[in-house]
Coordinates of all heavy atoms in Angstrom, one line a residue:
V248 N 4.5 8.7 -0.7 CA 4.6 9.1 -2.2 C 3.6 10.2 -2.5 O 2.5 10.1 -2.2 CB 4.3 7.8 -3.1 CG1 4.2 8.2 -4.5 CG2 5.3 6.8 -2.8
E249 N 4.1 11.2 -3.1 CA 3.2 12.4 -3.5 C 3.3 12.7 -5.0 O 4.4 12.8 -5.6 CB 3.8 13.5 -2.6 CG 3.0 14.8 -2.7 CD 3.5 15.9 -1.9 OE1 4.5 16.7 -2.2 OE2 2.8 16.0 -0.7
V250 N 2.1 13.0 -5.6 CA 2.1 13.5 -6.9 C 1.1 14.6 -6.8 O 0.1 14.7 -6.0 CB 1.7 12.4 -7.9 CG1 2.8 11.4 -8.0 CG2 0.3 11.8 -7.6
P251 N 1.0 15.5 -7.9 CA 0.0 16.5 -8.0 C -1.5 16.0 -8.0 O -1.8 14.9 -8.6 CB 0.3 17.2 -9.3 CG 1.7 17.0 -9.6 CD 1.9 15.6 -9.0
D252 N -2.3 16.6 -7.4 CA -3.7 16.1 -7.2 C -4.5 16.0 -8.5 O -5.2 15.1 -8.7 CB -4.5 17.1 -6.3 CG -4.3 16.9 -4.8 OD1 -3.6 15.9 -4.4 OD2 -4.5 17.9 -4.1
A253 N -4.2 16.8 -9.4 CA -4.8 16.9 -10.7 C -4.4 15.5 -11.5 O -5.3 14.9 -12.1 CB -4.3 18.0 -11.6
L254 N -3.2 15.0 -11.3 CA -2.8 13.9 -11.9 C -3.5 12.7 -11.3 O -3.9 11.8 -11.9 CB -1.2 13.6 -11.9 CG -0.6 12.4 -12.4 CD1 -1.0 12.2 -13.8 CD2 0.9 12.4 -12.1
R255 N -3.6 12.7 -9.9 CA -4.2 11.6 -9.2 C -5.6 11.5 -9.6 O -6.1 10.4 -9.9 CB -4.1 11.8 -7.6 CG -2.9 11.6 -7.0 CD -3.1 11.5 -5.4 NE -3.9 12.4 -4.9 CZ -5.3 12.4 -4.6 NH1 -5.8 11.3 -4.8 NH2 -5.9 13.4 -4.1
H256 N -6.3 12.6 -9.7 CA -7.7 12.6 -10.1 C -7.9 12.0 -11.5 O -8.8 11.2 -11.7 CB -8.3 13.9 -10.0 CG -8.3 14.5 -8.6 ND1 -8.3 15.9 -8.4 CD2 -8.4 14.0 -7.5 CE1 -8.4 16.1 -7.1 NE2 -8.4 15.0 -6.5
A257 N -7.1 12.4 -12.4 CA -7.2 11.9 -13.8 C -7.0 10.4 -13.7 O -7.7 9.7 -14.6 CB -6.2 12.6 -14.7
R258 N -6.0 9.9 -13.0 CA -5.7 8.4 -13.0 C -6.8 7.7 -12.3 O -7.2 6.6 -12.8 CB -4.4 8.2 -12.1 CG -3.1 8.6 -12.7 CD -2.0 8.4 -11.7 NE -0.7 8.7 -12.2 CZ 0.4 8.7 -11.6 NH1 0.3 8.5 -10.3 NH2 1.6 8.9 -12.1
L259 N -7.4 8.3 -11.2 CA -8.6 7.6 -10.6 C -9.8 7.6 -11.6 O -10.4 6.4 -11.7 CB -8.9 8.3 -9.4 CG -8.1 8.0 -8.1 CD1 -8.5 9.0 -7.0 CD2 -8.4 6.6 -7.7
E260 N -10.1 8.6 -12.3 CA -11.2 8.5 -13.2 C -10.9 7.5 -14.2 O -11.9 6.8 -14.5 CB -11.5 10.0 -13.7 CG -12.1 10.8 -12.7 CD -12.8 12.0 -13.3 OE1 -13.8 11.8 -14.1 OE2 -12.4 13.2 -13.2
A261 N -9.7 7.5 -14.8 CA -9.5 6.5 -15.8 C -9.5 5.1 -15.3 O -10.0 4.2 -16.0 CB -8.1 6.8 -16.4
R262 N -9.1 4.8 -14.0 CA -9.2 3.6 -13.5 C -10.5 3.1 -13.3 O -10.9 1.9 -13.6 CB -8.4 3.5 -12.1 CG -8.4 2.3 -11.4 CD -7.9 2.4 -10.0 NE -6.5 2.7 -10.0 CZ -5.8 3.1 -8.9 NH1 -6.4 3.0 -7.7 NH2 -4.6 3.4 -8.9
H263 N -11.4 4.0 -12.8 CA -12.8 3.5 -12.5 C -13.5 3.2 -13.8 O -14.3 2.3 -13.9 CB -13.5 4.7 -11.9 CG -13.1 4.9 -10.3 ND1 -12.9 3.8 -9.5 CD2 -12.9 5.9 -9.7 CE1 -12.7 4.2 -8.3 NE2 -12.6 5.5 -8.3
R264 N -13.3 4.0 -14.9 CA -13.8 3.7 -16.2 C -13.3 2.4 -16.7 O -14.1 1.7 -17.4 CB -13.6 4.9 -17.1 CG -14.4 6.2 -16.7 CD -14.5 7.2 -17.8 NE -15.4 6.7 -18.9 CZ -15.6 7.3 -20.0 NH1 -15.1 8.6 -20.2 NH2 -16.4 6.7 -20.9
H265 N -12.0 2.1 -16.5 CA -11.5 0.9 -17.0 C -12.2 -0.3 -16.4 O -12.4 -1.3 -17.1 CB -10.0 0.9 -16.7 CG -9.4 -0.4 -17.1 ND1 -9.0 -0.7 -18.5 CD2 -8.9 -1.4 -16.3 CE1 -8.4 -1.9 -18.5 NE2 -8.4 -2.4 -17.2
F266 N -12.5 -0.2 -15.2 CA -13.2 -1.2 -14.5 C -14.8 -1.3 -14.5 O -15.5 -1.8 -13.8 CB -12.8 -1.4 -13.1 CG -11.4 -1.9 -13.0 CD1 -10.3 -1.1 -12.7 CD2 -11.1 -3.2 -13.2 CE1 -9.0 -1.6 -12.6 CE2 -9.8 -3.7 -13.2 CZ -8.7 -2.9 -12.9
G267 N -15.3 -0.5 -15.5 CA -16.8 -0.6 -15.9 C -17.7 0.5 -15.4 O -18.8 0.5 -15.6
R268 N -17.1 1.6 -14.7 CA -18.0 2.6 -14.3 C -18.3 3.6 -15.4 O -17.3 3.8 -16.2 CB -17.4 3.3 -13.1 CG -17.5 2.4 -11.8 CD -17.0 3.3 -10.6 NE -17.3 2.5 -9.4 CZ -16.3 1.7 -8.8 NH1 -15.2 1.6 -9.4 NH2 -16.6 1.0 -7.7
S269 N -19.4 4.2 -15.4 CA -19.6 5.3 -16.5 C -18.8 6.5 -16.1 O -18.2 6.6 -15.1 CB -21.1 5.6 -16.4 OG -21.4 6.3 -15.2
A270 N -18.7 7.4 -17.0 CA -18.0 8.7 -16.8 C -18.5 9.4 -15.6 O -17.7 9.9 -14.8 CB -18.1 9.5 -18.1
Q271 N -19.8 9.4 -15.5 CA -20.4 10.1 -14.3 C -20.0 9.4 -13.0 O -19.7 10.1 -12.0 CB -21.9 10.4 -14.5 CG -22.6 11.1 -13.3 CD -24.0 11.2 -13.4 OE1 -24.6 11.1 -14.5 NE2 -24.7 11.7 -12.4
E272 N -20.2 8.1 -13.0 CA -19.8 7.3 -11.9 C -18.4 7.4 -11.4 O -18.0 7.5 -10.3 CB -20.2 5.9 -12.1 CG -21.7 5.6 -12.2 CD -22.0 4.2 -12.6 OE1 -21.1 3.6 -13.3 OE2 -23.1 3.6 -12.3
A273 N -17.5 7.5 -12.4 CA -16.1 7.5 -12.2 C -15.8 8.9 -11.6 O -15.0 9.0 -10.6 CB -15.3 7.4 -13.5
H274 N -16.4 9.9 -12.1 CA -16.2 11.3 -11.6 C -16.7 11.5 -10.2 O -16.0 12.0 -9.2 CB -16.9 12.3 -12.4 CG -16.7 13.7 -12.0 ND1 -15.5 14.4 -12.4 CD2 -17.4 14.6 -11.2 CE1 -15.6 15.6 -11.9 NE2 -16.6 15.8 -11.2
E275 N -17.8 10.9 -9.8 CA -18.4 11.0 -8.5 C -17.7 10.1 -7.5 O -17.5 10.6 -6.3 CB -19.9 10.4 -8.5 CG -20.9 11.5 -9.3 CD -22.3 10.9 -9.4 OE1 -22.4 9.6 -9.1 OE2 -23.2 11.5 -9.9
R276 N -17.2 9.1 -8.0 CA -16.4 8.2 -7.0 C -15.0 8.9 -6.7 O -14.6 8.9 -5.6 CB -16.2 6.8 -7.6 CG -15.4 5.8 -6.7 CD -16.2 5.4 -5.5 NE -15.5 4.5 -4.7 CZ -15.8 3.1 -4.8 NH1 -16.8 2.7 -5.6 NH2 -15.2 2.3 -4.0
T277 N -14.3 9.4 -7.8 CA -13.1 10.1 -7.6 C -13.1 11.3 -6.6 O -12.3 11.5 -5.8 CB -12.6 10.6 -9.0 OG1 -12.4 9.5 -9.8 CG2 -11.3 11.4 -8.9
Y278 N -14.2 12.1 -6.7 CA -14.3 13.4 -6.0 C -15.2 13.2 -4.7 O -15.4 14.1 -4.0 CB -14.9 14.5 -6.9 CG -13.8 15.0 -7.8 CD1 -13.7 14.4 -9.2 CD2 -12.9 15.9 -7.5 CE1 -12.9 14.8 -10.1 CE2 -11.8 16.3 -8.5 CZ -11.9 15.7 -9.7 OH -10.9 16.1 -10.7
G279 N -15.6 12.0 -4.5 CA -16.5 11.6 -3.4 C -15.6 10.8 -2.4 O -14.8 11.3 -1.7
S280 N -15.9 9.4 -2.3 CA -15.3 8.7 -1.3 C -13.8 8.6 -1.4 O -13.1 8.6 -0.5 CB -15.9 7.2 -1.3 OG -15.7 6.6 -2.5
D281 N -13.4 8.6 -2.7 CA -11.9 8.5 -2.9 C -11.1 9.8 -2.5 O -10.0 9.7 -1.8 CB -11.5 8.4 -4.5 CG -11.8 7.0 -5.0 OD1 -11.9 6.1 -4.1 OD2 -11.8 6.8 -6.2
E282 N -11.8 11.0 -2.7 CA -11.2 12.2 -2.2 C -11.2 12.3 -0.7 O -10.2 12.8 0.0 CB -11.9 13.4 -2.8 CG -11.2 14.7 -2.5 CD -9.7 14.8 -3.1 OE1 -9.3 14.0 -3.9 OE2 -9.1 15.6 -2.5
R283 N -12.3 11.8 0.0 CA -12.3 11.9 1.4 C -11.2 10.9 2.0 O -10.5 11.3 3.0 CB -13.7 11.3 2.0 CG -14.8 12.4 1.7 CD -16.1 11.9 2.4 NE -16.6 10.7 2.0 CZ -17.5 10.6 0.9 NH1 -17.9 11.6 0.2 NH2 -18.0 9.3 0.6
N284 N -11.0 9.8 1.3 CA -9.9 9.0 1.8 C -8.5 9.6 1.6 O -7.7 9.6 2.4 CB -9.9 7.6 1.0 CG -11.1 6.8 1.3 OD1 -11.8 6.9 2.4 ND2 -11.5 6.0 0.5
A285 N -8.4 10.4 0.5 CA -7.1 10.9 0.0 C -6.7 12.0 1.1 O -5.6 12.2 1.5 CB -7.2 11.6 -1.3
Q286 N -7.8 12.8 1.6 CA -7.6 13.8 2.5 C -7.3 13.3 3.9 O -6.3 13.8 4.5 CB -8.8 14.7 2.7 CG -9.1 15.5 1.5 CD -10.4 16.4 1.5 OE1 -11.1 16.4 2.7 NE2 -10.8 16.9 0.4
L287 N -7.8 12.1 4.2 CA -7.5 11.4 5.5 C -6.0 10.9 5.4 O -5.3 11.1 6.4 CB -8.3 10.2 5.6 CG -8.3 9.4 6.9 CD1 -8.6 10.2 8.1 CD2 -9.1 8.1 6.9
I288 N -5.6 10.4 4.3 CA -4.2 9.8 4.1 C -3.2 11.0 4.1 O -2.1 10.9 4.7 CB -4.1 9.0 2.8 CG1 -5.0 7.8 2.9 CG2 -2.7 8.7 2.5 CD1 -5.5 7.3 1.6
A289 N -3.5 12.1 3.5 CA -2.6 13.2 3.4 C -2.3 13.7 4.7 O -1.1 14.2 5.0 CB -3.2 14.4 2.5
A290 N -3.2 13.7 5.7 CA -2.9 14.1 7.1 C -1.9 13.3 7.7 O -1.4 13.7 8.9 CB -4.3 14.3 7.8
T291 N -1.7 12.1 7.2 CA -0.7 11.2 7.9 C 0.7 11.4 7.4 O 1.7 10.9 8.0 CB -1.1 9.8 7.7 OG1 -0.8 9.4 6.4 CG2 -2.5 9.5 8.0
A292 N 1.0 12.2 6.4 CA 2.2 12.4 5.7 C 3.3 12.8 6.7 O 4.4 12.4 6.6 CB 2.1 13.3 4.5
P293 N 3.1 13.7 7.7 CA 4.2 14.2 8.5 C 4.8 13.0 9.4 O 5.9 13.2 10.0 CB 3.4 15.1 9.5 CG 2.3 15.7 8.6 CD 1.9 14.5 7.9
A294 N 4.1 11.9 9.5 CA 4.6 10.7 10.4 C 5.6 9.9 9.5 O 6.2 9.0 10.0 CB 3.4 9.8 10.9
A295 N 5.8 10.2 8.2 CA 6.6 9.4 7.3 C 8.2 9.8 7.6 O 8.4 10.8 8.0 CB 6.3 9.6 5.9
D296 N 8.9 8.7 7.2 CA 10.4 9.0 7.3 C 11.0 9.8 6.2 O 12.0 10.5 6.3 CB 11.2 7.7 7.4 CG 10.8 6.9 8.7 OD1 11.2 7.4 9.8 OD2 10.2 5.8 8.6
A297 N 10.3 9.7 5.1 CA 10.7 10.4 3.8 C 9.6 10.6 2.9 O 8.6 9.9 2.9 CB 11.9 9.6 3.2
L298 N 9.7 11.6 2.0 CA 8.8 11.9 1.0 C 9.5 11.5 -0.4 O 10.6 11.7 -0.7 CB 8.5 13.4 1.0 CG 7.6 13.9 0.0 CD1 6.1 13.4 0.3 CD2 7.6 15.4 -0.1
I299 N 8.6 10.8 -1.1 CA 9.0 10.4 -2.6 C 8.2 11.1 -3.5 O 7.0 11.1 -3.5 CB 8.9 8.9 -2.7 CG1 9.5 8.0 -1.7 CG2 9.3 8.5 -4.1 CD1 10.9 8.0 -1.7
R300 N 8.8 12.0 -4.3 CA 8.1 12.7 -5.4 C 8.3 12.0 -6.7 O 9.5 12.1 -7.1 CB 8.5 14.2 -5.4 CG 7.9 15.0 -4.2 CD 7.8 16.4 -4.6 NE 7.1 17.1 -3.6 CZ 7.6 17.9 -2.6 NH1 8.9 17.9 -2.5 NH2 6.9 18.4 -1.7

Side-chain angles (χ1 to χ4, degrees):
V248 174
E249 184 177 81
V250 296
D252 285 341
L254 176 59
R255 284 198 312 101
H256 294 153
R258 287 174 175 174
L259 277 171
E260 289 200 61
R262 179 188 297 173
H263 290 315
R264 295 199 63 182
H265 177 74
F266 288 105
R268 291 187 173 90
S269 68
Q271 181 177 346
E272 290 170 336
H274 184 83
E275 290 174 351
R276 184 68 175 260
T277 295
Y278 291 92
S280 62
D281 284 346
E282 188 59 21
R283 290 192 294 274
N284 295 338
Q286 291 174 8
L287 182 65
I288 296 159
T291 72
D296 295 295
L298 181 68
I299 306 288
R300 285 203 173 100

